[in-house]
Amino acid sequence: MRYFFAPFVFLLVVMISCNDDNNCSCNTTIIGQWQATEFMSVESVLYAKNDDYNPVVEFKNDGTYLLALDRNGCIGDFEFDASGNISITGASCTEMCCDSDFSVKFGAMLGQVSSFEIDRDELKLQVSGWGWIVLERISD
């Protein structure tokens, strides 16, 4: 009789741990490498992207991320709260020289991301009151 309830308990735990968007608070779907493709905000036209390069962010299983800009590299931390929102610390970077305006803005905005959405291989990092950053998965 006790084995009869095991599937129901498992289903209940899964349902409680996920929000409406199917993003679990222990979300691992963000883990991997993502390239930034565009900004969606009122001021996005001010930040021209280098046509030859898309900045890349790699979210790692240990709660750190690596950021490769046009010329410089950065590292920081991220974590999820109980409702599945993400908190990303500002990046510590090598000397910020010679990166495109797009890359510099991308690095600066990461620390202001409050939530995210994933749809297949597209990641949208939401920045409250500003807009969002669109990224495409390049590897798991």
Side-chain angles (χ1 to χ4, degrees), residues 2-67:
R2 67 179 177 203
Y3 297 109
F4 176 76
F5 291 104
F8 297 108
V9 172
F10 175 75
L11 182 61
L12 181 62
V13 168
V14 169
M15 289 174 56
I16 290 172
S17 66
C18 293
N19 66 21
D20 294 337
D21 294 326
N22 263 349
N23 290 328
C24 296
S25 60
C26 55
N27 197 323
T28 59
T29 58
I30 199 170
I31 302 302
Q33 291 184 329
W34 302 85
Q35 64 182 1
T37 58
E38 64 182 318
F39 296 143
M40 296 302 291
S41 77
V42 174
E43 63 179 19
S44 61
V45 295
L46 301 174
Y47 302 99
K49 190 172 76 55
N50 180 343
D51 290 334
D52 298 328
Y53 185 78
N54 290 331
V56 174
V57 62
E58 179 180 5
F59 293 101
K60 299 170 86 56
N61 280 323
D62 63 0
T64 61
Y65 69 90
L66 303 174
L67 177 60

Side-chain angles (χ1 to χ4, degrees), residues 71-110:
R71 302 268 189 263
N72 296 290
C74 310
I75 189 168
D77 298 309
F78 71 97
E79 64 183 4
F80 302 104
D81 66 16
S83 62
N85 292 323
I86 192 168
S87 174
I88 302 175
T89 62
S92 298
C93 300
T94 56
E95 185 177 332
M96 293 294 280
C97 169
C98 309
D99 287 314
S100 67
D101 291 341
F102 183 88
S103 286
V104 172
K105 185 67 171 180
F106 178 53
M109 297 310 288
L110 272 180

